[in-house]
Amino acid sequence: MNNFNNKNMNVDALFLGPKSENAVFFREMMEYAISEHIHWRSGYHPEDPDLTTTVDRYAPEYRDTLYRTEGILNQLSSKLKSTSVPWFSPRYMGHMNADTLMISNLAYVMAMMYNPNNCAQESSPTTTVLEIEAGLDLCAMFGYDVQTSWGHITSGGTVANYEGLWVARNIKTLPLAMSKHPQAKVLLTETSETALLNMRTCDVLDLIDELKKLGLFEEIRDLTCRGAGVEQGKLGKLLVPQSKHYSWMKAMDILGLGQQNIVQLPVNKNYRTDVMKMRDIVFSLIEQGEPILAVVAVVGTTETGAIDNVAEVIKLRQECEQRFGVSFYVHIDAAYAGYACAMFRDENNQFLEYEALIKRYHNDGIFPVDMVWPKQDVYESFKALNQADSITVDPHKVGFISYAAGAICMKDKRIVDLISYHAAYVFEEVKESSRKTDKQQNVLLGSSIMEGSKAGATAAAVWAAHRLVPLNLLGYGKVIAAGITTANWMIDKINSSPSFVIDGREFTLVAMPAPDFHMINFMFRETGNISLEKQNQLNKRLYELCSYAAGRTYANDFLTSSTSLTYEEYGDNPQNLCLDANFKEEEWHKVRSIYVLRAAIMTHCLRDKQHFENYWNELKNIFEDKLQQLIDEENKHSHSLQKVSL
Ligand SMILES: *Cc1c(COP(=O)(O)O)cnc(C)c1O
């Protein structure tokens, strides 16, 4: 962690910019990266002869090959330019995408030319070390002890979630495996199956230490589900909120745990896990003697950006341990909002007290003085993250780093031994100095993670980004706050916007109120329409006009994403949005689905109020055009229907 004061970091200087404002610098650095690599090659054993001569390179075949290379790149570039999504522009407000940090793109390209493979340090002497450092940066941000935790980069949040469940699954079966082994059995204080399936994570990890002392660990590990397979239904239930990302369904499938063993926790009107219902479910499972494989809390749900009450999950676990002697693994899916943990930390990586935090936000100009973020319970959730067993976070979302960069952090690195395929623990060499990475020599990441071969360039990109933009309120905090500020202004504008009158028809905007983070859900409604079905069609068509589906991505004036808030996922909670939009309760019960436009507001470009006002005025014109387009289509359609009926 950098301890310097980065008060003067300029957010606009971090990105290439919507008009490539930093083009000169970016090109210079790109050329620097390339020329450094060229020198690296030519300087390697200069006594070695050149492979080809100038004369060779004039040969027709040779030139032809180069021309064709150029031609294919021309084709590719023209494809990319015409149909890629312009994340960099504030006209894009949809999925969790925005401009990416120049430093991450430059570091990626620079490292990519060396083609390091972070599967093994042998193939990536530099970037394996960077990956471990970047992982520890994230651990420190979450409040884990960097001496005893560990983190690494994955291809994304999906694989990070798989890995979280993988360790949760394997740890669950270790005590059972021990009970089947005469020598290991004596280490167990209780041997009933119920007791063995409900142990605390830290107690199981202590048992691993004991087993290692006796030289039994590897033998026992073969008796866990890793060797013996998963006995159907034996390991209990995975509790995930209804608002979960679908990677959890895939995870239960792939890990052989079965989707049937997912228990969905209902959400409340804020789209967060309903804490009271969660308690009831947990207590009733305990009563039935059903083990809990893990409880997942989501920090930043994919659809509404809701932040689950992590502190309550941790409290519930403590209560279960005290009252029933039952514990469970806790994983946090913070793929979306995880980087926001940086917003709570000062230059010394201290997690600030609430009052002090808000004061710093206002004194340092991180938020405008009339804006208070976060809500108190959101604050408590971030504060409690360090109590979770593992955390998923996506550098390629709110880390503003290019794909593919996800990450997982684990509170206690001893847990890695349960999934490791390397005889000795991979970090044995660095046990005493986990931050002094220069001592590492033979780290085999590929033997302790889900993936095998993987780009070392990604590690370079994440590592470099963390060096330039520290994981504290003056670094990432500033960048993320720009999006949150804009999101709040957007919601205010949407809710106070005068209606749009087009061809005698009136449309108004409605937004879902008070988001926890920077995801906004909003929709248009037509005055006089009482059908939710029709309402959904209207917004679906508007989405199509504001997305790649319109078929002219580059020329489109505004791009967004969309989703349906359904009864299956959210119970009757979306009914509130229906009522806010003046639909009757019966309509909700009939349709049970409401289609919304969904925008993660990540842009750094609109943090100046005047700039934002100008943007909003332009956006209103765009909305008007889209509505006009939609009405024209409808008129044309009804016209042609009339013709047919004649
Ligand atoms: C995006 C997301 C994921 C999946 O992450 P990928 O990087 O797309 O694999 C998982 N969980 C949540 C909450 C997410 O928002």
Side-chain angles (χ1 to χ4, degrees):
M1 188 63 55
N2 292 332
N3 284 333
F4 60 81
N5 183 331
N6 51 315
K7 236 183 186 119
N8 299 322
M9 182 190 81
N10 184 304
V11 174
D12 296 321
L14 298 175
F15 300 95
L16 179 54
K19 288 275 164 278
S20 293
E21 289 86 342
N22 288 313
V24 172
F25 176 78
F26 190 66
R27 183 178 286 124
E28 212 173 275
M29 288 298 110
M30 203 55 99
E31 270 169 21
Y32 171 71
I34 294 167
S35 62
E36 283 285 283
H37 182 77
I38 289 170
H39 291 148
W40 187 67
R41 287 194 178 202
S42 55
Y44 182 69
H45 285 280
E47 72 277 16
D48 290 348
D50 282 358
L51 179 65
T52 57
T53 65
T54 314
V55 175
D56 294 333
R57 293 193 288 273
Y58 267 102
E61 257 181 31
Y62 201 105
R63 298 213 65 84
D64 189 55
T65 306
L66 295 183
Y67 287 141
R68 284 198 302 122
T69 306
E70 189 178 337
I72 293 163
L73 287 173
N74 287 159
Q75 274 181 37
L76 175 63
S77 182
S78 112
K79 281 178 197 291
L80 286 168
K81 285 166 81 174
S82 57
T83 51
S84 290
V85 188
W87 311 129
F88 60 84
S89 168
R91 287 176 186 269
Y92 180 84
M93 287 183 168
H95 294 289
M96 297 114 165
N97 291 99
D99 205 352
T100 47
L101 297 166
M102 274 196 289
I103 185 86
S104 80
N105 296 331
L106 291 165
Y108 191 98
V109 169
M110 188 181 255
M112 183 258 288
M113 286 185 288
Y114 298 82
N115 197 25
N117 176 0
N118 276 23
C119 184
Q121 197 165 9
E122 182 183 25
S123 326
S124 54
T126 314
T127 52
T128 285
V129 178
L130 299 184
E131 175 157 352
I132 290 167
E133 278 192 47
L136 290 176
D137 291 339
L138 293 169
C139 288
M141 173 180 74
F142 290 130
Y144 285 166
D145 178 350
V146 292
Q147 299 300 325
T148 51
S149 59
W150 103 289
H152 73 88
I153 293 166
T154 62
S155 71
T158 299
V159 170
N161 284 343
Y162 295 167
E163 211 169 282
L165 192 59
W166 188 15
V167 290
R169 183 194 74 170
N170 286 16
I171 200 166
K172 201 77 170 165
T173 61
L174 190 94
L176 274 181
M178 286 174 68
S179 73
K180 292 181 186 129
H181 190 284
Q183 276 166 282
K185 198 174 166 173
V186 297
L187 295 172
L188 299 164
T189 42
E190 276 194 82
T191 50
S192 75
E193 195 170 290
T194 319
L196 295 174
L197 285 167
N198 290 296
M199 285 180 67
R200 298 198 307 171
T201 304
C202 53
D203 292 339
V204 181
L205 293 175
D206 288 343
L207 285 175
I208 292 182
D209 289 343
E210 296 298 311
L211 289 171
K212 279 184 180 167
K213 277 186 215 148
L214 298 174
L216 288 174
F217 175 61
E218 288 174 12
E219 201 180 323
I220 299 294
R221 189 171 60 183
D222 289 342
L223 297 173
T224 67
C225 64
R226 149 180 170 135
V230 183
E231 239 180 289
Q232 210 178 348
K234 181 93 161 213
L235 303 183
K237 303 294 183 194
L238 177 76
L239 275 54
V240 284
Q242 280 176 313
S243 53
K244 71 193 176 301
H245 187 266
Y246 71 105
S247 50
W248 290 105
M249 310 296 287
K250 294 198 279 182
M252 290 297 275
D253 169 2
I254 293 168
L255 289 164
L257 294 161
Q259 293 178 358
Q260 279 175 16
N261 292 309
I262 291 180
V263 173
Q264 300 208 36
L265 302 172
V267 297
N268 62 19
K269 64 178 190 341
N270 298 318
Y271 295 81
R272 300 183 193 153
T273 299
D274 185 319
V275 170
M276 292 317 289
K277 289 184 181 152
M278 170 178 72
R279 287 172 62 87
D280 291 346
I281 289 171
V282 164
F283 292 155
S284 94
L285 286 171
I286 292 173
E287 208 167 285
Q288 294 161 39
E290 182 78 61
I292 295 166
L293 176 58
V295 174
V296 176
V298 183
V299 169
T301 61
T302 315
E303 289 186 316
T304 67
I307 292 176
D308 276 339
N309 205 322
V310 177
E312 289 294 333
V313 176
I314 300 297
K315 251 168 63 188
L316 178 61
R317 176 166 67 176
Q318 279 164 355
E319 190 180 335
C320 292
E321 287 168 3
Q322 279 155 15
R323 280 175 60 186
F324 313 106
V326 165
S327 189
F328 46 80
Y329 190 93
V330 173
H331 179 87
I332 310 296
D333 184 357
Y336 173 26
Y339 266 77
C341 202
M343 302 187 70
F344 301 85
R345 298 197 171 272
D346 71 5
E347 300 87 326
N348 302 311
N349 202 38
Q350 288 307 305
F351 199 99
L352 290 171
E353 291 303 322
Y354 188 77
E355 306 299 330
L357 181 71
I358 303 297
K359 213 158 148 192
R360 288 269 339 238
Y361 283 164
H362 294 154
N363 289 346
D364 289 294
I366 290 166
F367 282 112
V369 282
D370 58 352
M371 191 171 291
V372 174
W373 189 91
K375 300 167 198 160
Q376 185 85 43
D377 41 17
V378 167
Y379 170 87
E380 297 300 335
S381 287
F382 279 96
K383 196 171 184 178
L385 285 177
N386 66 354
Q387 304 295 312
D389 294 304
S390 49
I391 305 172
T392 289
V393 58
D394 266 350
H396 64 212
K397 284 181 179 160
V398 181
F400 298 88
I401 289 161
S402 35
Y403 291 110
I408 183 159
C409 295
M410 300 187 185
K411 186 181 172 68
D412 190 330
K413 64 182 173 188
R414 291 179 298 173
I415 208 165
V416 183
D417 280 350
L418 284 161
I419 56 170
S420 184
Y421 280 82
H422 193 242
Y425 180 46
V426 276
F427 310 116
E428 219 58 83
E429 302 93 321
V430 286
K431 214 160 42 190
E432 299 311 319
S433 57
S434 59
R435 305 281 303 190
K436 286 201 209 100
T437 33
D438 50 357
K439 287 219 180 125
Q440 292 162 11
Q441 274 170 14
N442 188 25
V443 176
L444 277 168
L445 279 174
S447 71
S448 311
I449 68 174
M450 203 111 207
E451 289 146 286
S453 293
K454 60 193 212 119
T458 310
V462 180
W463 176 87
H466 291 177
R467 302 276 102 34
L468 179 66
V469 189
L471 294 159
N472 63 35
L473 81 176
L474 291 174
Y476 268 102
K478 258 192 188 176
V479 186
I480 298 168
I484 298 174
T485 303
T486 309
N488 278 288
W489 286 338
M490 282 282 286
I491 289 183
D492 287 348
K493 287 291 184 194
I494 287 172
N495 287 332
S496 62
S497 164
S499 53
F500 300 84
V501 180
I502 295 146
D503 291 0
R505 293 165 67 175
E506 188 187 42
F507 299 88
T508 47
L509 276 165
V510 184
M512 213 149 86
D516 291 338
F517 196 40
H518 54 29
M519 183 72 80
I520 69 175
N521 286 276
F522 66 106
M523 57 191 191
F524 285 85
R525 84 173 302 270
E526 182 170 6
T527 310
N529 171 41
I530 54 165
S531 154
L532 185 54
E533 194 90 61
K534 262 192 164 163
Q535 159 76 4
N536 288 344
Q537 279 162 16
L538 168 74
N539 285 282
K540 181 150 199 297
R541 188 60 198 139
L542 279 170
Y543 159 70
E544 284 163 4
L545 293 174
C546 297
S547 72
Y548 77 100
R552 18 166 235 128
T553 315
Y554 188 66
N556 210 334
D557 300 329
F558 178 73
L559 294 148
T560 189
S561 71
S562 68
T563 191
S564 288
L565 304 174
T566 64
Y567 177 81
E568 288 72 44
E569 285 164 302
Y570 300 106
D572 281 322
N573 290 300
Q575 186 181 295
N576 290 326
L577 185 60
C578 286
L579 297 178
D580 285 351
N582 291 328
F583 288 98
K584 294 246 167 67
E585 224 178 290
E586 303 94 84
E587 276 300 296
W588 164 253
H589 290 298
K590 199 165 79 194
V591 181
R592 285 186 159 186
S593 172
I594 185 160
Y595 197 92
V596 290
L597 305 175
R598 163 185 168 274
I601 313 293
M602 288 179 50
T603 182
H604 67 283
C605 301
L606 302 173
R607 64 191 191 284
D608 173 74
K609 190 67 193 264
Q610 191 51 51
H611 206 139
F612 172 77
E613 294 284 345
N614 299 342
Y615 172 87
W616 175 255
N617 288 333
E618 174 60 17
L619 190 57
K620 272 196 307 194
N621 293 335
I622 295 168
F623 285 157
E624 207 166 288
D625 286 351
K626 301 285 180 192
L627 288 165
Q628 182 71 59
Q629 209 176 329
L630 188 131
I631 288 173
D632 290 348
E633 277 175 15
E634 277 184 22
N635 289 344
K636 216 159 99 193
H637 185 66
S638 65
H639 206 73
S640 59
L641 284 184
Q642 271 170 16
K643 267 197 204 146
V644 171
S645 59
L646 281 173

